[in-house]
Amino acid sequence: MSVHIEAKKGDIAKTILLPGDPLRAKWIAETFFENPVCFNKIRGMYGYTGTFNGNRISVMGTGMGVPSISIYAHELITEYDVKNLIRVGSAGSYQKHIKIRDIVLAMAASSNSGVNELRFGGADYAPTANFELFQKAVDIARKKNIPLKAGNVFTSDEFYTDDFESYKKWSKFGVLCVEMESAGLYTVAAKHNVNALSILTISDSLVTGERTTSKERETTFKEMIEVALELA
């Protein structure tokens, strides 16, 4: 048992899906897993282990933001020997061609978070996805005829920003969308020499103002989950 996860050694699979919302973790386990068993309820952060197509796999919520996902990723890696951490989350589009419900693979994660600035003494660190997981996700999506976008995403510490036009600078430099966790996940995974990938579904657009409901974000992003599950 770690500080924030009550599972015993061996309760968590080598590959874990990491939605921000713990209710999405519950939905994934109950919808896709065979024989799911709950291994964590501390702080309401549900975690489950089951099988998918005969392969053992886990899922657990991470909460919102770089500090939260960094804590859970660290404990999953160091206390439970998890090797593949796959974020399945929502994001806001920064580009006209990135539409609601499009799927984005985060090749790299720019950020305004101060965590890596503290870690590297003011120097910039460029958190990136694991190449093997990334390549495998692309191959799986092609076989399933699921369209993908891939590129740089923006991990923000702010959900409600005071500068409503700030996204345009990131958009101009080719950043595809904004979310709140990938830079933290990629950094922790790199530190411990394990694999990480963020698969994101566009839930709203800063360009058009379109948005999905919280219930839709919790329970309808099935194509993203299908790609992530096949990575196990």
Side-chain angles (χ1 to χ4, degrees):
M1 182 183 296
S2 68
V3 176
H4 302 97
I5 305 170
E6 60 187 337
K8 300 180 180 66
K9 294 282 187 181
D11 284 352
I12 303 176
K14 298 295 183 184
T15 297
I16 191 166
L17 275 55
L18 299 172
D21 184 353
L23 291 180
R24 190 185 301 157
K26 185 174 186 288
W27 174 77
I28 290 169
E30 293 176 348
T31 304
F32 296 98
F33 286 11
E34 297 133 12
N35 303 313
V37 175
C38 183
F39 64 74
N40 190 65
K41 291 182 181 177
I42 291 179
R43 294 174 178 250
M45 200 60 71
Y46 297 118
Y48 299 83
T49 296
T51 58
F52 178 79
N53 290 342
N55 296 306
R56 194 163 182 261
I57 190 168
S58 296
V59 63
M60 191 179 78
T62 65
M64 292 184 286
V66 168
S68 186
I69 197 170
S70 297
I71 289 168
Y72 287 113
H74 177 90
E75 293 183 12
L76 288 166
I77 295 164
T78 60
E79 300 292 334
Y80 298 99
D81 201 30
V82 174
K83 299 299 184 186
N84 303 297
L85 299 94
I86 303 162
R87 168 162 156 68
V88 283
S90 56
S93 173
Y94 275 0
Q95 303 288 343
K96 286 183 179 179
H97 70 283
I98 308 287
K99 308 293 186 182
I100 296 292
R101 291 192 173 81
D102 280 356
I103 299 175
V104 174
L105 296 185
M107 297 173 69
S110 299
S111 182
N112 63 6
S113 173
V115 172
N116 277 348
E117 185 176 351
L118 289 171
R119 179 180 274 121
F120 292 99
D124 288 331
Y125 175 76
T128 61
N130 170 262
F131 176 74
E132 286 75 19
L133 279 182
F134 179 88
Q135 187 175 51
K136 189 174 179 181
V138 171
D139 292 341
I140 290 166
R142 283 176 177 164
K143 289 177 183 176
K144 290 179 171 289
N145 294 315
I146 297 174
L148 293 176
K149 307 292 194 302
N152 198 356
V153 307
F154 182 58
T155 298
S156 179
D157 271 356
E158 295 178 293
F159 189 86
Y160 298 108
T161 179
D162 293 325
D163 184 354
F164 305 112
E165 301 295 310
S166 62
Y167 82 91
K168 292 181 178 179
K169 180 183 288 186
W170 296 100
S171 174
K172 184 177 180 179
F173 281 81
V175 174
L176 302 183
C177 58
V178 60
E179 50 86 76
M180 299 185 72
E181 289 83 32
S182 294
L185 174 63
Y186 286 3
T187 301
V188 173
K191 177 182 178 181
H192 295 285
N193 195 30
V194 299
N195 308 319
L197 177 67
S198 279
I199 308 175
L200 307 168
T201 299
I202 299 300
S203 60
D204 57 280
S205 172
L206 279 79
V207 181
T208 67
E210 290 180 275
R211 64 180 60 245
T212 56
T213 67
S214 59
K215 188 65 176 178
E216 287 173 323
R217 289 193 292 274
E218 180 187 321
T219 63
T220 65
F221 293 170
K222 291 187 177 180
E223 288 188 333
M224 167 179 67
I225 305 304
E226 289 174 4
V227 174
L229 288 167
E230 292 288 343
L231 289 173

